[in-house]
Amino acid sequence: MKYQKIYIIAFLLGTFTFLSVGCESPKKSAETTVVKQSVLPFSDQENKGNWVLNEEISDEFEGTEIDTTKWFVEGQNGDYYIWKGRAPSQYAPHNVVLENGNLILKTQWEPDYNFAKESYADGANKDTYGIHEGKPLPVTTAAIVSKKRFLNGYMEIKSKAPHAAMTAAFWAIGFEQELDMYEQLAVPKIAQEGSIDKHMNRTAIHDWSPPSTRPTKAFGYDENLPYVTSEGFHVYGVEWGEDYLNIYRDGKFIHGFTQDELGTDWVLNNPMEIWVDSEIFKWLGVPHKEELPATFEAEYVRVWQKESDNLLAKDRAFYGFEGPILFEENPKPLTMVPEDATANEYQKFWLFSEGSEKYLKITEGHYANGVEALQFFGYGKNDSLNVAKVVAKTPEGSLKLPAGDYNLSMKVWLDQGRITDSIHVTLMNPKMELTFSGLKKLERKQWVTVAKKVSRKEASAVNDGMIIEIRKEDLPATKAAKLYIDDIEIKKVN
């Protein structure tokens, strides 16, 4: 029986009502009606956090086959996303199974499997798939990846690690970032001080921003458990906020991090996708034939998020200048790693007009939220703006607004000195020009929110977007002070 399901059975032929919590689902009959209530994080059963289940990523694994509208199965139809697994083991799609309402990721000894004839270079690991230290090690395993990404939320899994020298991992990646909610290894063959053992739940956060060279770990936490991770099912949760991360186990708070303590080591600023997989950590030993098959099992994967009145909430990272905007109606390129800053049909970035790069840049370290903001550098006494205007522009299709009345706001930080008096914002289609004027009267050297009302009689066209301009006509001839822009939001006027 899965955790936290609540069923209410109302007998249609009488007035008696029975409430069943945490038990087997009753069978439907002509006399009964079953209503399944929304499940909640195990640590927040009263829903004080106002969580809403993201059904595009959450899965109860109740069917007979994995839902491929939600999950990419590594190796299915010969396709692999990013990698084929950590050699010498290789992901194989037939190892992804649903049984009795559980996800089963199998690890098997398969000497007849057609392993990829290539090596995987991971630091010192240059093993070929199916080969370990020159000898056959025909181990296949499995991985699934969510097809959708999400920004901030509560991630939870109820799972049991394999009883073998194979990992269980519940993790996520996004642009320039990785969050390992847990890595577990129930049967390490080699003991190493500070590494994963059978009583450990490791949470680690990795920074993949350039230069993305190892070690990439930014921060993390190791919990010593009162059980072996393969002995039974437990609930593991991570709450990922805009500027904090909290770790939970079996409904209890374990450890937390905040951006205040981490500064720019806080790298969790962009949408991420969920991974559930098993692999070999050869530095902790490899599985023996006698250990296999072994299974990594999960009763469910659930992701909750909080509702927002910001119509740009899904793309808040992009409009906060942290990373790309995602066009998830297009497939992710199979070779797109987290450190990939190449624009493609899936991820696109802010565009700068010719000549703007001298004055305009997305800068790390000075921000209202996240770790980055758009900076206008200004210029000194012997310089002037050498173009008519500097322009930052979103890709077409970045705005999807219905008709209506809105407030468009952004945060600005103005340096002392001769500042521009105006920032110009244009909504592309239907076209609307907005001028945020009177900047010279605002407080300096602090983040200030400026806002303009927007009334649109038509919904966004397919090529709608936003343009930000700083114009020469609004600037002093020399000695223009620098400024920053962050956290653009659009909210409906009630």
Side-chain angles (χ1 to χ4, degrees):
M1 173 58 202
K2 301 216 172 164
Y3 241 164
Q4 305 171 9
K5 285 187 180 175
I6 299 175
Y7 296 92
I8 298 174
I9 301 96
F11 286 86
L12 300 181
L13 301 180
T15 59
F16 176 74
T17 299
F18 172 69
L19 176 65
S20 172
V21 181
C23 63
E24 292 295 333
S25 171
K27 294 181 179 180
K28 292 183 181 180
S29 70
E31 292 85 18
T32 66
T33 301
V34 179
V35 181
K36 187 170 74 172
Q37 306 285 56
S38 295
V39 291
L40 296 168
F42 194 31
S43 64
D44 188 7
Q45 288 294 282
E46 296 180 2
N47 202 17
K48 294 179 180 178
N50 295 316
W51 298 107
V52 177
L53 190 70
N54 182 334
E55 296 187 8
E56 290 185 316
I57 299 174
S58 303
D59 203 331
E60 302 297 311
F61 304 119
E62 295 284 7
T64 58
E65 295 182 350
I66 193 74
D67 185 348
T68 54
T69 66
K70 292 184 177 183
W71 301 102
F72 177 90
V73 177
E74 290 283 14
Q76 195 166 65
N77 302 317
D79 291 331
Y80 285 90
Y81 174 47
I82 299 181
W83 64 340
K84 296 179 174 66
R86 192 184 302 273
S89 58
Q90 183 175 330
Y91 298 142
H94 61 264
N95 287 331
V96 178
V97 180
L98 298 191
E99 291 180 355
N100 301 318
N102 285 0
L103 169 69
I104 309 293
L105 299 185
K106 294 182 179 180
T107 296
Q108 303 191 73
W109 189 272
E110 296 193 84
D112 295 329
Y113 186 75
N114 185 24
F115 286 89
K117 304 301 188 290
E118 61 188 72
S119 61
Y120 173 70
D122 176 21
N125 184 0
K126 294 180 173 57
D127 277 342
T128 300
Y129 291 104
I131 304 291
H132 176 54
E133 296 181 348
K135 298 180 181 179
L137 192 78
V139 175
T140 64
T141 185
I144 60 173
V145 188
S146 69
K147 290 189 172 180
K148 293 288 187 180
R149 291 187 178 184
F150 64 99
L151 180 62
N152 302 128
Y154 197 114
M155 298 153 280
E156 188 175 278
I157 189 171
K158 186 181 180 185
S159 62
K160 179 176 70 171
H163 193 72
M166 297 296 299
T167 66
F170 176 47
W171 56 297
I173 60 172
F175 178 67
E176 297 185 348
Q177 66 194 55
E178 176 183 335
L179 167 58
D180 301 333
M181 278 79 80
Y182 73 58
E183 290 177 319
Q184 299 172 350
L185 184 60
V187 190
K189 295 291 195 304
I190 301 171
Q192 287 188 7
E193 185 177 353
S195 197
I196 304 171
D197 65 29
K198 63 183 180 180
H199 294 290
M200 183 178 290
N201 191 61
R202 169 162 288 176
T203 299
I205 291 79
H206 295 269
D207 179 358
W208 288 104
S209 61
S212 55
T213 54
R214 296 176 186 275
T216 59
K217 185 176 177 180
F219 58 98
Y221 182 76
D222 291 344
E223 182 194 4
N224 292 315
L225 305 170
Y227 54 82
V228 175
T229 54
S230 62
E231 286 181 344
F233 285 90
H234 292 269
V235 179
Y236 304 92
V238 173
E239 181 182 352
W240 168 36
E242 189 174 345
D243 57 2
Y244 67 92
L245 189 76
N246 291 332
I247 303 168
Y248 297 86
R249 180 177 55 81
D250 290 330
K252 297 180 180 179
F253 173 78
I254 301 299
H255 190 78
F257 304 92
T258 67
Q259 184 178 5
D260 280 347
E261 65 183 280
L262 294 164
T264 54
D265 274 346
W266 178 259
V267 299
L268 302 175
N269 299 302
N270 282 286
M272 291 193 288
E273 63 207 22
I274 295 282
W275 288 63
V276 185
D277 74 354
S278 188
E279 58 188 6
I280 290 176
F281 282 1
K282 76 167 196 174
W283 58 93
L284 296 177
V286 298
H288 298 161
K289 179 180 179 180
E290 293 73 26
E291 290 180 277
L292 305 179
T295 58
F296 172 21
E297 302 181 40
E299 285 197 6
Y300 62 78
V301 169
R302 296 171 184 158
V303 175
W304 295 266
Q305 293 182 276
K306 296 184 179 183
E307 293 182 329
S308 173
D309 59 352
N310 176 18
L311 275 70
L312 303 181
K314 184 179 179 182
D315 304 316
R316 178 173 51 79
F318 175 75
Y319 286 99
F321 304 97
E322 299 300 327
I325 189 168
L326 304 180
F327 291 81
E328 291 191 294
E329 64 273 20
N330 300 321
K332 285 176 283 194
L334 295 180
T335 58
M336 192 179 72
V337 293
E339 58 267 39
D340 191 342
T342 304
N344 51 53
E345 291 305 304
Y346 178 77
Q347 67 171 18
K348 298 183 181 182
F349 298 83
W350 283 91
L351 307 169
F352 297 92
S353 63
E354 186 176 354
S356 293
E357 65 279 355
K358 181 179 177 180
Y359 308 100
L360 215 55
K361 182 182 179 182
I362 295 175
T363 303
E364 182 183 68
H366 191 104
Y367 49 83
N369 288 289
V371 295
E372 295 183 314
L374 179 65
Q375 180 180 3
F376 173 69
F377 283 94
Y379 44 83
K381 66 178 182 179
N382 296 318
D383 201 359
S384 61
L385 198 70
N386 295 323
V387 291
K389 57 188 176 182
V390 293
V391 179
K393 179 182 178 181
T394 72
E396 292 184 354
S398 301
L399 278 184
K400 300 177 177 67
L401 298 176
D405 296 330
Y406 305 98
N407 278 324
L408 191 157
S409 67
M410 58 186 174
K411 294 176 182 175
V412 296
W413 191 99
L414 310 171
D415 206 355
Q416 298 285 7
R418 301 174 182 174
I419 204 76
T420 179
D421 196 49
S422 299
I423 296 172
H424 303 270
V425 174
T426 300
L427 306 185
M428 295 182 194
N429 193 359
K431 186 174 181 180
M432 175 175 288
E433 296 184 4
L434 307 170
T435 301
F436 294 83
S437 57
L439 302 186
K440 292 178 180 179
K441 298 178 182 178
L442 297 180
E443 294 291 331
R444 304 298 180 93
K445 292 199 170 182
Q446 61 182 271
W447 287 101
V448 179
T449 300
V450 296
K452 295 288 289 187
K453 186 175 180 180
V454 178
S455 293
R456 283 187 135 188
K457 295 181 180 180
E458 299 176 30
S460 293
V462 293
N463 61 344
D464 199 11
M466 184 182 298
I467 300 169
I468 301 172
E469 297 178 353
I470 298 173
R471 298 175 181 173
K472 186 171 185 175
E473 64 198 54
D474 300 318
L475 289 163
T478 61
K479 292 186 177 179
K482 68 173 178 272
L483 63 85
Y484 298 84
I485 299 172
D486 204 359
D487 296 347
I488 301 170
E489 295 186 343
I490 297 179
K491 296 183 178 181
K492 191 172 182 61
V493 176
N494 296 324

